Amino acid sequence: MGLYVEIMCDERKNWPGTPEYAGKIEHRCWSNRNDSAQGYSVAQARKEAKKQGWKIIGRYACCPGCLKNLPGEGASE
């Protein structure tokens, strides 16, 4: 049995409540759709996350899906 480390998104945004995004089946946040970066150590998981386009600063992580500001989102969301 092996262990692995998984990076989870701290933002976990949903789709905006505009008609443009109504009925989206796939989750916006990669952590919500079980597509987080993984590795056999914390360093390896962080390296893989950066390679996939995640924003990693210290203990903060944000997936590419949550990094984008979409039409219909307020600046404070």
Side-chain angles (χ1 to χ4, degrees):
M1 179 170 109
L3 298 176
Y4 69 95
V5 177
E6 184 174 70
I7 303 293
M8 300 295 290
C9 182
D10 290 316
E11 292 291 325
R12 300 193 85 143
K13 291 182 180 177
N14 290 318
W15 293 103
T18 60
E20 178 179 0
Y21 300 107
K24 284 280 194 179
I25 295 173
E26 187 175 272
H27 292 284
R28 175 180 177 181
C29 179
W30 290 22
S31 290
N32 287 345
R33 65 182 191 182
N34 298 320
D35 197 13
S36 299
Q38 301 175 1
Y40 57 85
S41 67
V42 174
Q44 179 65 29
R46 289 171 60 91
K47 183 178 177 182
E48 182 62 28
K50 287 179 182 179
K51 192 185 309 181
Q52 292 179 10
W54 288 58
K55 180 178 181 181
I56 307 287
I57 301 174
R59 296 177 59 110
Y60 171 83
C62 186
C63 74
C66 292
L67 278 173
K68 299 173 190 165
N69 283 324
L70 300 174
E73 286 186 314
S76 63
E77 291 181 4

